């Protein structure tokens, strides 16, 4: 059977084979770059983003409801843990910097981002990685045996491979990266109630035993908490291929182990990260197996439903379980919401469903029917999303006047650290332009915000006049360096021009250009209605003029561009512009 996900999973396999290729750091993009400030750096005086998805208009919240996904936009591969009433959730971040966003909640509904796990350059070596390399499938676990939080992940960059960081308090930062000596991807920790620790992960089958493309295994190691190393010689294959190797299941991965009522449960993703994605579960009397698959697998998937169904949620899988308030279990998992052309621009998002674990195996409530946008609120909880610092969902507005001393945690870099090219001033956000442009697979001077809706409006104002044709600043809509739109202002001779460029497969085309005159601030705007994108400008902040007509957002989708990330909206500056009006 042919699945849309095969190119994605093949890419993942290729990256996994590159785990231990060291990538040198580029000194050109160190913190020292900030000292070489251009006298002509643009100042962005404001940014706003407003979501306008019909699904939320048609499904307004009642007082006892909340929306899922709980994290909209590119927040994939969720993992969750808790210490008492404090719940912590992390996501994959690939080549984004800082790495691994971390969220905190006390009720499983209202989530507040408290930072990033990998917020130091020594922990994250993505300066020259592909955008879908870097940090894969982080797993967060609290170990009551030593009162310590662990985050274990695969970093496909800089020769890091499988690695771990730990802390006593996730709100106070994490320690140095500890490199772990085993191959494969998607590691997860399990702490037994007798104090023993284990690592489970995805790996290739033993050499010479691979039966088909996508054949993988789940492997276990004993883990020494005193030395933070796997114990040599303790590795054992727990699952070969998947739930039934005779059916040639593909890409068993993302494993998590749990213990309940004296039995051990191993839950994994299966089927690849595309439209055959699912979640399956096994049980055993011992953490070392043998593990027997449940008869009702998969326990979560969206693959069996009509492709043209309305308000489609798809690609569901890569789940993690946690016991929530009142002993009620919940699952977090990734899924996508394609736009009107069935393309995935917002990326893989974090969803949640309640779980009934009153029987032998967990039952994902509504996990085997088309997923709905709303969930019932746990008793006694008030929905505060978007208020009091809690992460918003639904159709929300994000505004930043850049008046604080630190950047909002929603802003990220790609490959490069935000601090190396941004400065918050009294006038606004100054972006110090690098001489590389957005098509470079190295750090660029671009501050990114995730696209979180199929339909949205994003706009910014910048105080800037380029000094030459090599200078440009403005907005980008970015899937990766080979698939993006650039909308900004540059100079030709003594005149200023707004330009719109489309890049597909690394080949750039000037869509439209217009000579403009303006005194101070230039206002730039992108409006998306599903697959239709429009780029507009204003010289007075009131009257906007379109450039280039309506263009397709196809190049901003993973369907066209490939990879694992969602589309990003960037505030961009460069002194290496090559767009010619």
């Amino acid at each position: 059977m042919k699945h849309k996900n095969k190119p994605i999973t093949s890419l993942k396999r290729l990256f996994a084979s590159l785990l231990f290729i060291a990538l040198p750091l580029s000194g050109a993009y160190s913190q020292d770059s900030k000292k070489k400030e251009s006298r002509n750096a643009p100042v962005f005086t404001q940014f706003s983003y407003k979501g306008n998805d019909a699904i939320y208009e048609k499904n307004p919240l009642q007082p006892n409801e909340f929306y899922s996904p709980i994290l909209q936009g590119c927040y994939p591969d969720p993992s969750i843990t808790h210490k008492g009433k404090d719940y912590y959730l992390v996501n994959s971040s690939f080549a984004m910097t800082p790495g691994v966003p971390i969220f905190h909640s006390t009720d499983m509904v209202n989530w507040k981002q408290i930072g990033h796990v990998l917020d130091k350059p020594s922990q994250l070596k993505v300066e020259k990685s592909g955008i879908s390399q870097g940090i894969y499938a982080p797993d967060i676990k609290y170990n009551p045996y030593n009162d310590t939080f662990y985050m274990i992940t695969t970093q496909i960059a800089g020769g890091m491979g499988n690695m771990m960081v730990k802390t006593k308090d996730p709100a106070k930062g994490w320690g140095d990266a500890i490199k772990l000596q085993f191959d494969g991807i998607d590691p997860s920790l399990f702490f037994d109630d007798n104090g023993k620790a284990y690592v489970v992960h995805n790996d290739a089958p033993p050499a010479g035993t691979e039966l088909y493309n996508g054949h993988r295994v789940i492997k276990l190691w004993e883990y020494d908490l005193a030395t933070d190393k796997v114990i040599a010689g303790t590795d054992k294959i727990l699952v070969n291929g998947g739930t039934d190797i005779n059916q040639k299941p593909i890409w068993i991965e993302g494993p998590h182990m749990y213990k309940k009522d004296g039995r051990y449960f191993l839950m994994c993703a299966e089927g690849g990260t595309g439209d055959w994605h699912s979640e399956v579960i096994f049980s055993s009397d011992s953490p070392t197996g043998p593990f027997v698959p449940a008869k009702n697998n998969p326990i979560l998937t969206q693959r069996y439903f009509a492709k043209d169904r309305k308000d489609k949620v798809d690609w569901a899988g890569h789940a993690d379980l946690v016991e929530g308030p009142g002993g009620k279990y919940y699952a977090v998992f990734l899924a996508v919401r394609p736009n009107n052309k069935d393309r995935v621009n917002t990326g893989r998002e974090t969803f949640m469903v309640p779980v009934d674990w009153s029987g032998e195996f967990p039952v994902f409530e509504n996990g085997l029917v088309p997923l709905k946008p709303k969930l019932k609120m746990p008793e006694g909880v008030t929905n505060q999303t978007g208020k009091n610092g809690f992460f918003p969902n639904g159709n929300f507005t994000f505004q930043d006047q850049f008046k604080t001393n630190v950047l909002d945690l929603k802003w990220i870099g790609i490959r490069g650290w935000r601090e190396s090219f941004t400065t918050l001033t009294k006038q606004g956000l100054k972006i110090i332009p690098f001489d590389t442009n957005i098509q470079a697979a190295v750090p660029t001077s671009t501050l990114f915000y995730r696209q979180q809706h199929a339909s949205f409006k994003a706009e910014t104002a910048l105080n800037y006049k380029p000094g030459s044709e090599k200078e440009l600043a403005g907005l980008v809509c970015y899937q990766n360096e080979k698939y993006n739109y650039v909308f900004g202002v540059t100079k030709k001779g003594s005149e200023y021009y707004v330009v719109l460029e489309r890049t597909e497969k690394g080949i750039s085309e000037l869509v439209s250009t217009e000579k403009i005159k303006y005194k101070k601030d230039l206002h730039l705007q992108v409006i998306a209605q599903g697959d239709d994108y429009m780029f507009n400008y204003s010289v007075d902040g009131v009257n906007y003029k379109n450039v280039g007509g309506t263009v397709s957002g196809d190049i901003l989708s993973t369907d066209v561009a490939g990879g694992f990330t969602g589309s990003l909206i960037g505030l961009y500056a460069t002194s290496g512009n090559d767009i010619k009006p």
Side-chain angles (χ1 to χ4, degrees):
M1 185 178 291
K2 185 177 181 181
H3 306 305
K4 285 198 303 187
N5 60 286
K6 279 194 174 181
I8 299 175
T9 52
S10 298
L11 185 65
K12 190 171 184 179
R13 187 178 186 188
L14 173 63
F15 287 167
S17 70
L18 299 176
L19 277 175
F20 300 104
I21 297 177
L23 296 173
L25 302 185
S26 175
Y29 309 105
S30 68
Q31 298 288 338
D32 291 339
S33 300
K34 195 169 180 178
K35 298 176 182 177
K36 303 173 182 178
E37 294 194 17
S38 167
R39 292 182 179 178
N40 197 32
V43 175
F44 292 81
T45 56
Q46 63 89 16
F47 173 85
S48 66
Y49 172 96
K50 183 177 182 179
N52 187 33
D53 282 350
I55 187 72
Y56 297 117
E57 297 297 324
K58 294 185 298 183
N59 295 274
L61 287 178
Q62 300 303 312
N64 64 337
E65 295 175 328
F66 68 103
Y67 286 126
S68 180
I70 57 172
L71 303 180
Q72 294 167 223
C74 183
Y75 292 98
D77 306 330
S79 177
I80 191 168
T81 194
H82 79 109
K83 176 185 178 182
K85 67 177 182 179
D86 293 301
Y87 294 82
Y88 298 92
L89 186 153
V90 295
N91 300 98
S92 289
S93 55
F94 304 102
M96 301 172 185
T97 57
V100 188
I102 181 167
F103 300 85
H104 171 261
S105 176
T106 59
D107 55 26
M108 300 293 292
V109 172
N110 302 298
W111 292 91
K112 184 175 294 186
Q113 186 171 0
I114 59 173
H116 292 80
V117 175
L118 304 180
D119 59 2
K120 297 186 282 289
S122 62
Q123 301 165 320
L124 196 58
K125 307 291 185 181
V126 294
E127 289 85 352
K128 289 190 175 182
S129 74
I131 192 171
S132 288
Q133 293 180 308
I135 298 298
Y136 276 39
D139 169 76
I140 187 170
K141 286 288 189 302
Y142 172 66
N143 185 5
Y145 181 78
N146 60 4
D147 188 30
T148 301
F149 289 87
Y150 294 77
M151 193 284 295
I152 187 171
T153 188
T154 309
Q155 182 172 171
I156 301 176
M160 294 293 287
N162 291 305
M163 54 164 280
M164 184 272 294
V165 294
K166 59 185 180 179
T167 184
K168 293 290 186 179
D169 185 349
K172 294 182 178 179
W174 297 70
D176 294 333
I178 298 172
K179 187 172 179 176
L180 302 172
Q181 301 301 320
F182 58 88
D183 295 331
I185 59 174
D186 294 4
S188 175
L189 284 161
F190 169 67
F191 303 116
D192 209 341
D193 49 22
N194 61 5
K196 293 195 70 172
Y198 302 87
V199 172
V200 290
H201 64 96
N202 161 295
D203 207 348
T209 67
E210 182 177 359
L211 300 178
Y212 51 87
N213 184 30
H215 177 195
R216 302 290 286 182
V217 303
I218 299 298
K219 187 179 285 187
L220 173 139
W221 298 78
E222 292 184 26
Y223 187 82
D224 187 339
L225 291 170
T227 62
D228 284 315
K229 294 179 180 178
V230 294
I231 300 174
T234 62
D235 54 312
K236 182 177 182 179
I237 292 175
L238 300 183
V239 176
N240 183 15
T243 52
D244 182 356
I245 198 168
N246 294 317
Q247 300 299 315
K248 297 184 178 180
I250 59 173
W251 292 99
I252 190 80
E253 58 193 2
H256 294 284
M257 189 177 287
Y258 313 94
K259 188 176 186 180
K260 185 176 183 292
D261 300 331
R263 286 184 60 77
Y264 297 84
F265 297 86
L266 180 65
M267 193 172 74
C268 309
E270 188 180 276
T273 57
D275 62 2
W276 207 245
H277 206 196
S278 70
E279 195 73 14
V280 297
I281 196 161
F282 309 77
S283 67
S284 176
D285 292 324
S286 166
T288 59
F291 278 88
V292 178
K295 293 180 180 179
N296 63 334
N297 280 320
I299 56 177
L300 168 69
T301 192
Q302 296 286 286
R303 67 191 181 199
Y304 298 123
F305 312 124
K307 297 301 179 186
D308 60 351
R309 63 190 182 274
K310 201 172 183 180
D311 298 329
K312 179 166 69 172
V313 177
D314 214 352
W315 302 8
H318 200 109
D320 198 4
L321 295 171
V322 70
E323 185 178 358
K328 176 68 176 178
Y329 280 85
Y330 291 84
V332 291
F333 58 95
L334 72 82
V336 299
R337 297 179 295 163
N339 67 18
N340 60 313
K341 292 289 183 70
D342 203 32
R343 296 184 178 122
V344 179
N345 289 41
T346 47
R348 298 173 300 154
E349 305 173 290
T350 292
F351 288 71
M352 178 187 290
V353 294
V355 172
D356 180 355
W357 206 345
S358 58
E360 179 183 4
F361 290 102
V363 176
F364 285 52
E365 297 181 16
N366 300 318
L368 297 176
V369 299
L371 288 164
K372 301 292 192 267
K374 298 191 295 185
L375 297 172
K376 292 294 184 184
M377 192 83 70
E379 191 170 341
V381 177
T382 300
N383 194 336
Q384 299 184 68
T385 53
K387 305 173 184 176
N388 303 317
F390 290 105
F391 202 83
N393 55 20
N395 279 336
F396 57 82
T397 298
F398 169 77
Q399 292 182 311
D400 200 334
Q401 304 295 326
F402 304 113
K403 298 297 185 184
T404 60
N405 294 325
V406 293
L407 282 170
D408 192 287
L409 291 169
K410 298 180 185 69
W411 291 111
I412 55 170
I414 295 292
R415 304 185 186 91
W417 295 86
R418 304 175 307 175
E419 295 78 9
S420 67
F421 61 85
T422 63
T423 301
L424 287 165
T425 71
K426 291 181 179 179
Q427 291 73 39
L429 173 74
K430 179 185 286 188
I431 294 186
I432 303 153
F434 291 163
D435 59 6
T436 54
N437 64 41
I438 202 69
Q439 297 178 38
V442 295
T444 64
S445 40
T446 319
L447 194 64
F448 290 102
Y449 181 89
R450 293 167 174 85
Q451 179 181 331
Q452 297 177 288
H453 299 80
S455 297
F456 70 90
K457 178 171 70 175
E459 53 190 13
T460 191
L462 65 159
N463 186 340
Y464 174 69
K465 287 192 175 178
S468 73
E469 63 182 15
K470 299 298 290 182
E471 297 181 352
L472 178 146
L475 283 174
V476 296
C477 289
Y478 183 88
Q479 179 57 238
N480 59 51
E481 69 277 359
K482 294 184 178 180
Y483 293 85
N484 56 73
Y485 283 103
V486 174
F487 182 48
V489 60
T490 188
K491 194 174 185 181
K492 181 181 178 181
S494 60
E495 307 287 350
Y496 301 107
Y497 290 81
V498 169
V499 293
L500 176 62
E501 181 184 71
R502 172 187 168 101
T503 298
E504 181 177 4
K505 298 180 181 178
I507 300 172
S508 299
E509 172 193 5
L510 184 64
V511 177
S512 186
T513 183
E514 185 166 331
K515 184 165 65 173
I516 63 169
K517 293 183 178 180
Y518 63 108
K519 292 183 178 180
K520 188 179 179 183
D521 283 2
L522 178 65
H523 299 259
L524 301 177
Q525 182 185 82
V526 54
I527 299 176
Q529 293 291 334
D531 191 63
D532 295 332
Y533 284 63
M534 295 180 65
F535 294 87
N536 311 311
Y537 78 92
S538 172
V539 297
D540 61 10
V542 177
N543 302 294
Y544 280 85
K545 187 174 182 180
N546 176 253
V547 176
T550 299
V551 297
S552 175
D554 55 353
I555 59 171
L556 305 176
S557 71
T558 54
D559 310 68
V560 173
F564 304 120
T565 58
S567 180
L568 306 172
I569 303 158
L571 305 180
Y572 170 55
T574 181
S575 58
N577 174 52
D578 60 2
I579 303 174
K580 305 298 182 185

